[in-house]
Amino acid sequence: MSYNVLSVSNMKNCYVRYILLMSVLISVLAFPHRLFAQQSLRYYELKETGEDQTKWIELDENATLLTPGWTYCNQCATQVTDIGFSFCFGTQCVSQFAVNTEGQVTMGSYAPSVWDHYRPLSFNGQSDSRSYENVTKISIFGRDSYFRNDCHGDYFKTQLIGSAPNRIRVIEVQTRDYYAGNYCNAPDRTLKYQLQLYEGTNEVRLVYGEAFTGVMPADICYQVGLRDKLDATWEVFYIDDDHNAGYTTADYTAERSANNHWPGSWRYYHIAPIAAPPMHVWFRDVKPNQATIAWDRTTNAAKWELEFGKGAYGDAGNTRQIVTDTSRLFANLDPETEYHVYIKTILANGEESELLDTTFMTACAAISRNDMPWGENFDEF
C-alpha cells in the first residue's frame, strides 16, 4: 500500500471548502432570499409635488360608475375591476384593483370590505375581521369616510384615458368625512381625489380635488403612500406632513404621514419607480463546473446588465451581457473557485441602477481513484 501525501493535503483543502459551501447552500435553502439580498429595498421616489389644478384629469360620459345602486354606505369597497393593462407595482405586475371609502386602493385581485381607517399602511389585518390580510395597496389618505349618493352625489368612477402603450387608468372618488357625511343637512365636508396609474412607466399620481369647506378634524389624513409585500416584510413609501417622501421596510410600519392637515386643494404627488438592483438574488445547482443565478424582477425593469468572472467589475477577463430574463446558467467553470456576479437593472428609458456585487464558489471536483490519499497495490508489508 502506498500513500499520496500531496493528495491528502489537496483533499483536505477541497473538502473543508466543500463543507463550508454545503453550509452556505443549506443556509440558502433555509433562507434563500436573505443571504444574497440587496439591503437597499427602495423602489420609488417622489418625482414632483405641488398644487396644480391641471393635474386633475376630467372624466367624461364614458367613465364607468363603480358604485351602481349605492345610496349610502359606511365602510364599503368596490368589486375588483380591470386596470386595462399590466401595471407593475413593487415586485409584482397586476391587472386589477379595488377601492374603498377609506381612501385606499388594493392592487391585484383582492376585494376586501374595508381596512383600518387611520393606519392603512401599517395595519396587518390580523386583529380586525373586517380587514383583508396581506394586501398590497396605495393609500390616498386614511380616514373614516362616508358615502352618500342620495343627497350629496358621492361616487366612485374610473376611466381608461389615451391610447396604448401610454394609457392612464384614472380612479376618481368623492366621499365625505364620516362625522358629517351621514347627515344630508351636514356641512359640506367633501373628500374628492384621483389615483392615476400610468402604463409603461408604472408611475403613480395622487391628486386631491377642491378641499372641503368645513373645518375638519386634525387627523384627516394618515399614511399617504404605497405598501408592497416582500416575504415577511412590508416595503412602505410614504409622504409626510411637509410633502416630503419617506421610506421604511419595518414590518407593519407605524410611520404616519400628512396626519395634521389635508394636503390642500389641487395638491398632487407624482411617484415614480427608480432603477433598483434586484432585491432577492440566489444561486442554485452549484456544481464543480456550473451554477445558476436567479433574481426577482423589480418595478419597471426592462433588462439587466450581467457581468461574470473571477475579477473585479470591469476586468477584461470577465464576461458581460444584457439579459431580459431573471436567471442565467454559468457553464464551463473551474471547480472550487470563487466567482463574482455583478448585476445592474436597466429601465426602459435607459436609466441604470447601482451595481449589485455578489459571489459564489463552485463545488469540489469529483473524486477519482487517483485522487485518493492511498492506493492499494497489494504490496506485502
Side-chain angles (χ1 to χ4, degrees):
M1 179 177 290
S2 60
Y3 292 88
N4 184 344
V5 177
L6 181 60
S7 293
V8 172
S9 175
N10 288 345
M11 286 185 65
K12 180 178 179 181
N13 291 337
C14 180
Y15 282 94
V16 166
R17 286 194 293 270
Y18 180 75
I19 291 171
L20 292 174
L21 175 64
M22 289 305 297
S23 299
V24 169
L25 290 178
I26 290 171
S27 298
V28 171
L29 292 174
F31 308 100
H33 296 315
R34 298 303 178 197
L35 184 63
F36 300 108
Q38 168 71 10
Q39 296 304 305
S40 175
L41 309 185
R42 184 174 180 182
Y43 289 146
Y44 292 97
E45 64 180 358
L46 181 59
K47 190 173 181 179
E48 61 181 17
T49 185
E51 294 183 3
D52 185 350
Q53 187 174 348
T54 66
K55 303 300 184 183
W56 186 272
I57 298 176
E58 294 295 338
L59 305 187
D60 59 28
E61 67 277 2
N62 295 315
T64 300
L65 185 66
L66 296 174
T67 54
W70 288 25
T71 301
Y72 52 87
C73 185
N74 181 35
Q75 301 177 359
C76 297
T78 67
Q79 297 295 314
V80 170
T81 302
D82 289 340
I83 296 174
F85 52 82
S86 179
F87 184 80
C88 294
F89 177 76
T91 56
Q92 62 178 331
C93 294
V94 299
S95 60
Q96 296 178 308
F97 72 91
V99 57
N100 74 355
T101 53
E102 316 306 302
Q104 299 142 33
V105 179
T106 50
M107 305 301 293
S109 58
Y110 306 105
S113 59
V114 74
W115 307 285
D116 187 86
H117 309 314
Y118 307 114
R119 297 175 297 150
L121 298 179
S122 61
F123 191 63
N124 63 22
Q126 296 176 347
S127 61
D128 189 337
S129 61
R130 299 172 303 173
S131 300
Y132 201 102
E133 265 187 82
N134 298 341
V135 293
T136 57
K137 63 181 67 172
I138 298 174
S139 172
I140 302 169
F141 64 87
R143 179 62 185 166
D144 190 358
S145 305
Y146 199 92
F147 177 95
R148 188 121 197 185
N149 176 261
D150 54 349
C151 55
H152 290 302
D154 293 341
Y155 60 84
F156 288 41
K157 293 180 181 178
T158 185
Q159 188 169 2
L160 192 58
I161 305 294
S163 303
N166 300 305
R167 293 170 291 184
I168 306 171
R169 168 59 67 183
V170 180
I171 304 163
E172 182 174 315
V173 175
Q174 177 178 301
T175 56
R176 58 208 54 256
D177 171 42
Y178 172 78
Y179 297 98
N182 53 348
Y183 300 104
C184 283
N185 58 352
D188 182 13
R189 292 182 173 178
T190 300
L191 309 174
K192 189 174 180 179
Y193 51 86
Q194 282 187 351
L195 170 65
Q196 303 168 7
L197 306 177
Y198 288 76
E199 182 180 19
T201 64
N202 299 310
E203 296 180 2
V204 175
R205 182 181 288 171
L206 311 178
V207 188
Y208 300 85
E210 292 180 272
F212 44 84
T213 57
V215 178
M216 294 294 292
D219 59 356
I220 174 62
C221 205
Y222 277 11
Q223 297 188 342
V224 173
L226 319 179
R227 184 174 92 166
D228 184 29
K229 184 74 167 60
L230 301 172
D231 294 331
T233 305
W234 294 105
E235 177 195 74
V236 175
F237 179 90
Y238 62 93
I239 309 298
D240 66 18
D241 281 354
D242 299 316
H243 311 298
N244 297 315
Y247 190 85
T248 181
T249 56
D251 288 10
Y252 309 132
T253 172
E255 293 290 349
R256 304 196 325 184
S257 49
N259 60 324
N260 292 327
H261 56 81
W262 176 251
S265 295
W266 311 117
R267 167 67 61 175
Y268 72 94
Y269 301 111
H270 196 107
I271 300 167
I274 62 174
M279 200 274 293
H280 294 159
V281 179
W282 64 97
F283 297 94
R284 61 174 184 259
D285 301 327
V286 179
K287 299 176 181 179
N289 303 113
Q290 69 178 46
T292 297
I293 186 174
W295 59 91
D296 283 343
R297 180 178 296 272
T298 53
T299 301
N300 226 25
K303 52 191 175 182
W304 293 267
E305 177 193 282
L306 196 66
E307 182 170 312
F308 166 75
K310 300 176 183 178
Y313 179 71
D315 190 281
N318 294 347
T319 299
R320 183 180 297 180
Q321 53 189 314
I322 301 297
V323 301
T324 56
D325 53 5
T326 56
S327 66
R328 182 63 52 173
L329 171 66
F330 301 122
N332 303 315
L333 308 182
D334 296 327
E336 54 186 296
T337 302
E338 182 180 70
Y339 287 91
H340 286 265
V341 182
Y342 306 95
I343 307 177
K344 282 184 180 180
T345 298
I346 304 175
L347 303 188
N349 63 6
E351 182 183 349
E352 297 183 355
S353 74
E354 62 185 22
L355 188 70
L356 172 65
D357 175 8
T358 189
T359 61
F360 72 94
M361 178 171 286
T362 51
C364 298
I367 302 173
S368 69
R369 183 176 182 275
N370 294 331
D371 291 328
M372 300 299 289
W374 62 86
E376 177 58 70
N377 55 14
F378 299 102
D379 288 346
E380 293 183 2
F381 292 94

